[in-house]
Amino acid sequence: MALTPRLDLRQSQSLVMTPQLQQAIKLLTLSNLELETFISDEVEKNPLLDTGELSTESGEERQDDSAAQGSDEILSAGPSESEAALDMEGHTDSFTNNSLCDSDGPLDGQLGLNGASSGSGAIGDSADFENMLAAEITLTDHLMDQAGTVLSGTDLFVAQHIIDQIDECGYLQADLLELAYRLNVGLVDIQRILGVVQTFDPVGIGARNLAECLALQARDADRYDPAMARLIDNLDLLAKGALPQLKRICSVDDEDLMDMISELRNYDPKPGCKIGGGEVQSVVPDVFIAERGDKWIIEVNSATLPKVLVNRSYYSELKDGAQDKQSKEWLNECLADANWLVKALDQRQRTIVKVATEIVKQQEDFFRKGVAHLRPLTLKNVAEKIEMHESTVSRVTSNKYLSCSRGTFELKYFFTSGIQSSTGGEAASAEAVKSHIKTLIDGEDPKNILSDDKLVALLNDRGFDIARRTVAKYRESLGLGSSVQRRRQKALEGRAA
């Protein structure tokens, strides 16, 4: 058959997501801090977008229209028009919301996106904590200050490169031979300067592994004798609790071995953390939960988000000045994008509040009584209750954190599998079972360590129908050793005491 060009006409169907729909879905998955960066980029690209406070008049109108609601009222009202399958037609220009953390007085009875203000949120002449953090000395600066007093010239140059390779815990992460080749310096000189750096404060800095870190601290305390050296060289045996083997290797009796182990426990395995080699990134909650009377206050944390507005006055000025068709099309496109972004942000916040509200309703016993009362919950359960798709709930709960009186939790934390009740009652959450396992192990008698079989029996007595392999899996996920490992550990602790 000859190869010849030809034209074919084919008809097909495909589901295509519009750019606006893709943007709305993307916004659901972003945390508040990520969303702040996204909004900043959009404001730079779109001249009709502006960030700032809403006018007092519009805020007052919003407050008059929004009465205080509880979680029951917002769910019983059903999905609004603006919340139906990303079809956002509601007004958002007059939306206001202050964070619970900004409240100066008692919390208002608002739920999520209602306009009742919980406080002025004004901080006034507060301390500049960001500058205070930036002014704190880092581990690198601390070490370089010491290097400058004892080294100079080429040695100081090499020391600077060595210090740059020390992580925030105080360990050297560079290969000395590679560093010597890169700096064109002899390996002997690199080792000599590293020895100098290892004498700096804090003690144990610049070590290449845990054994070397402990050895440096033992030398500083004048406790690095041959027996201590052999003990440090066999930390793996110490972790296994192999005390008889360690006594033979170190050639010491029980009393001396316990004394050396007690000495090691006083050393710091992460000496660099004393100086604070890196900036601590704290979790910023996306949703606040607070109890007031017999109702729950659920609110999106808007303190980290700029209020996005469409600058219509600027649009009018540009529209009057636009003459050619291309300029008018570009201006109309900017206006459409700005309106869509404002609506998408409003939709995002309303969806987060609805999901958080249903989580609170489903897990109310957790918020009142603790983790032992956490119920099994799936994304499908929440999606059916709030009449949304399961994938939407999944996106909303990704990278989002909830702050309540019991602490800060990721929204995904509340979705756990269930363990059937041995008495035929309601199933229990896997996290609740883990809590019971930890409680039983923490309270066990050192002379009567609980095996996994014994834990299964005790959990069955508490109403949990659970298999031994499940108990072992949950115990390991909690970082708890087997009964043999815990028996050795408690024996070590008893002898050291």
Side-chain angles (χ1 to χ4, degrees), residues 57-84:
E57 181 181 355
S58 62
E60 291 173 352
E61 292 175 358
R62 184 69 180 177
Q63 291 183 10
D64 294 338
D65 293 338
S66 58
Q69 301 181 52
S71 58
D72 296 334
E73 287 82 348
I74 195 172
L75 289 180
S76 61
S80 64
E81 182 181 358
S82 64
E83 295 167 346

Side-chain angles (χ1 to χ4, degrees), residues 160-213:
Q160 180 179 359
H161 281 268
I162 292 176
I163 291 173
D164 287 340
Q165 299 298 319
I166 295 178
D167 64 16
E168 60 183 12
C169 294
Y171 289 89
L172 180 64
Q173 300 297 328
D175 180 78
L176 295 186
L177 186 60
E178 179 182 349
L179 190 62
Y181 177 78
R182 178 156 52 90
L183 299 179
N184 196 23
V185 178
L187 180 60
V188 175
D189 292 330
I190 295 288
Q191 293 173 336
R192 173 178 58 82
I193 297 172
L194 175 60
V196 176
V197 172
Q198 289 178 343
T199 63
F200 293 167
D201 177 75
V203 180
I205 205 73
R208 286 157 285 186
N209 51 56
L210 177 61
E212 185 176 13
C213 178

Side-chain angles (χ1 to χ4, degrees), residues 33 102 106 113 118 133 178 215 249-250 269 279-280 324 376 422 428 431 434 445:
L33 295 181
D102 294 335
L113 302 178
S118 61
L133 286 174
E178 179 182 349
I249 293 175
C250 299
E279 182 180 347
V280 178
D324 58 293
S422 59
E431 291 295 330
K434 290 181 182 180
D445 187 352

Side-chain angles (χ1 to χ4, degrees), residues 142-153:
H142 181 67
L143 296 177
M144 283 304 301
D145 288 343
Q146 299 176 73
T149 60
V150 297
L151 299 172
S152 62

Side-chain angles (χ1 to χ4, degrees), residues 4 15 23 41 82 96 116 119 152 200 212 275 319 339 346 357 364 376 384 431 476:
T4 59
L15 182 63
Q23 184 187 69
D41 294 339
S82 64
T96 62
S152 62
F200 293 167
E212 185 176 13
I275 308 301
K319 185 177 181 181
N339 285 330
D346 179 57
T357 299
E364 188 170 0
E384 290 176 350
E431 291 295 330
E476 291 173 358

Side-chain angles (χ1 to χ4, degrees), residues 2 15 20 32 58 78 87 91 124-125 138 185 232 241 252 255 262 275-276 295 312 343 349 384 411 438 479 481:
L15 182 63
Q20 291 84 0
N32 273 10
S58 62
D87 183 15
H91 255 326
D125 297 330
T138 64
V185 178
I232 293 176
V252 294
E255 183 178 355
S262 179
I275 308 301
K295 294 185 179 181
R312 301 189 182 276
K343 293 177 182 179
Q349 292 180 306
E384 290 176 350
L411 289 182
K438 188 175 187 307

